[in-house]
Amino acid sequence: MRISLKPLQTTPKVIFEVVSRSTVARDEQLKFELYQREKVNYYGLVYPNLKKMRVFRLINNRYEKVFDSDRGSFRFELECPFTVDLDYLWRRI
């Protein structure tokens, strides 16, 4: 299998970042602003050390927090919807 290093041609609908102590400022500020400007529909921040997830949805060209929890699930409403179940996820890691 050949991996392409070409830049993306279209904006992703969803981006997840796994946040660590060394990346927290970049993920919560720099990437937040970048993905908002590039109009990524959903931006998910996953904090494995805290077993927590935050999700922001682009509404009127601005991110609004739509989920912030350490349990439960969140459904991403897209053309091909999917759900992240945190209770299931945290049992696996």
Side-chain angles (χ1 to χ4, degrees):
M1 177 158 102
R2 191 169 182 203
I3 298 174
S4 174
L5 299 177
K6 295 179 185 176
L8 293 174
Q9 300 297 313
T10 59
T11 301
K13 300 291 184 194
V14 179
I15 293 178
F16 289 98
E17 293 290 351
V18 178
V19 181
S20 68
R21 283 186 216 126
S22 65
T23 67
V24 69
R26 182 174 55 229
D27 294 334
E28 291 181 348
Q29 297 168 18
L30 180 70
K31 290 183 179 181
F32 180 95
E33 292 172 13
L34 171 65
Y35 299 154
Q36 181 174 254
R37 183 175 62 242
E38 294 299 319
K39 297 182 173 45
V40 174
N41 291 23
Y42 288 95
Y43 181 37
L45 293 161
V46 180
Y47 301 82
N49 292 342
L50 301 174
K51 294 191 173 180
K52 180 177 184 170
M53 181 174 77
R54 289 183 181 147
V55 178
F56 297 87
R57 183 175 182 184
L58 194 67
I59 300 172
N60 296 322
N61 295 319
R62 304 287 299 164
Y63 275 143
E64 291 187 23
K65 190 185 312 179
V66 292
F67 186 82
D68 187 354
S69 186
D70 59 352
R71 62 183 64 174
S73 62
F74 182 79
R75 181 175 170 87
F76 291 82
E77 298 294 339
L78 299 163
E79 186 176 312
C80 182
F82 67 95
T83 301
V84 173
D85 181 337
L86 293 179
D87 301 318
Y88 179 84
L89 177 66
W90 300 142
R91 284 193 306 267
R92 300 295 181 266
I93 60 170

